[in-house]
Amino acid sequence: MVGIKKEVALLPFQPVFCDVLVGHDSSSAQYVRMKAKTAESVGIKFHNANFPSDIKTPELITELKKLNQVENMCGIIIQLPLPEHIDRREVLDAIDSRLDVDCLGTVASEKFYSGKTELGFPTALACMTILDSLDLDLDGKTIVVLGQGMLVGKPVAALLTSRGFSPIVIRSQTENKEKLLKEADVIISGIGRGKYITGDMIKQGAVIIDAGTSESDSGIVGDVDLDSVKDVAGFVSPVPGGVGPVTVAMLLQNVLTVAKSISIQ
């Protein structure tokens, strides 16, 4: 985050970031406040945009089009989940693709998968950043991506493939899941099944990056049973406190990327 703060300070203007909140879900509101605080800590101005839970899809789209025009706006995201009556796809696609720093809109997503943008899915970028920080020699290693979700599995597999790796993607219908996991040198998981991965499911020294979150009686937990794998895994990212904070950093890096592209126009 120090690097982001330094680069923001060098911009000829203060970039603006907006996390749109619909409704009054306490967890969602907490996430928005956390991102607002982090953005402001690196010099990015946070633009509040809170709407009632009964807002209709056309009204929300109108508001998003207004946000697209806010001076120095460099990133807009929608805090998910949205109320059930809202058309999620229409709303996500109402964000100007140049400001879609979550890459969840159709245009921004297509640009990511075709390699035509510098932006990326923040959680997937966070997984890769953590993996890079371990400075591993991955040549000849077996990399397994557990799940094929929109936020983690699918974009992580794409990023790995773009680097010349051949990740094995385990889906719900994949055969021999247990064997594939047991043979994996690196596991990146984002299935959202609390404590699914246990010590007896992995090989000694396996590296696990846990990007899954789910609610439990004891709070938020990841896909990995930390107590079970701690004496087997060579590295495991904790939940909370692992991928999550890095995801916010990658989100703000996307905002900075947009800001830098605007500043040179």
Side-chain angles (χ1 to χ4, degrees):
M1 296 297 268
V2 174
I4 294 175
K5 185 173 184 177
K6 287 181 178 178
E7 288 201 69
V8 168
L10 294 173
L11 292 168
F13 64 93
Q14 184 180 29
V16 179
F17 165 62
C18 180
D19 187 351
V20 176
L21 178 63
V22 180
H24 307 286
D25 179 77
S26 58
S27 295
S28 292
Q30 182 179 353
Y31 286 133
V32 171
R33 286 194 298 271
M34 180 268 291
K35 280 178 270 193
K37 183 178 179 180
T38 307
E40 290 173 344
S41 74
V42 296
I44 295 172
K45 182 179 180 181
F46 185 79
H47 184 96
N48 278 305
N50 300 343
F51 303 104
S53 57
D54 60 354
I55 191 172
K56 302 294 190 293
T57 298
E59 296 169 344
L60 184 54
I61 289 173
T62 297
E63 295 297 334
L64 287 170
K65 289 180 178 178
K66 293 178 185 176
L67 289 172
N68 287 334
Q69 303 302 318
V70 170
E71 185 177 11
N72 296 332
M73 182 63 75
C74 294
I76 303 172
I77 67 172
I78 306 292
Q79 187 63 45
L80 301 175
L82 287 166
E84 290 186 3
H85 70 278
I86 297 287
D87 187 317
R88 171 172 154 163
R89 175 48 51 204
E90 282 194 29
V91 166
L92 291 173
D93 285 345
I95 297 172
D96 186 325
S97 62
R98 295 168 297 179
L99 306 177
D100 187 355
V101 287
D102 253 350
C103 289
L104 293 179
T106 301
V107 174
S109 178
E110 288 175 351
K111 285 182 178 179
F112 169 80
Y113 286 110
S114 61
K116 295 179 180 178
T117 179
E118 294 183 58
L119 304 180
F121 291 81
T123 306
L125 292 175
C127 291
M128 297 302 293
T129 298
I130 293 173
L131 185 60
D132 289 342
S133 73
L134 301 176
D135 198 25
L136 304 172
D137 181 3
L138 295 176
D139 286 343
K141 301 297 185 183
T142 300
I143 305 175
V144 165
V145 177
L146 188 56
Q148 199 187 26
M150 178 175 63
L151 299 179
V152 183
K154 187 178 178 182
V156 161
L159 289 169
L160 287 166
T161 301
S162 73
R163 294 189 181 189
F165 299 113
S166 301
I168 298 169
V169 180
I170 297 181
R171 307 168 179 83
S172 57
Q173 66 270 32
T174 300
E175 297 181 1
N176 301 320
K177 296 186 187 68
E178 294 79 9
K179 181 175 183 292
L180 293 172
L181 282 172
K182 192 75 172 181
E183 294 174 348
D185 298 295
V186 176
I187 300 169
I188 301 176
S189 183
I191 56 175
R193 290 181 60 181
K195 300 187 178 183
Y196 172 78
I197 300 173
T198 54
D200 60 343
M201 296 170 67
I202 63 172
K203 71 190 297 185
Q204 189 71 39
V207 168
I208 310 175
I209 298 175
D210 188 355
T213 57
S214 51
E215 295 279 356
S216 75
D217 292 338
S218 57
I220 298 291
V221 296
D223 293 343
V224 177
D225 184 344
L226 287 173
D227 288 337
S228 176
V229 306
K230 65 182 181 182
D231 295 326
V232 184
F235 171 85
V236 57
S237 63
V239 175
V243 172
V246 185
T247 296
V248 176
M250 294 299 100
L251 173 66
L252 297 179
Q253 181 65 54
N254 278 347
V255 175
L256 174 60
T257 297
V258 174
K260 288 163 74 173
S261 70
I262 291 174
S263 68
I264 63 175
Q265 288 178 359

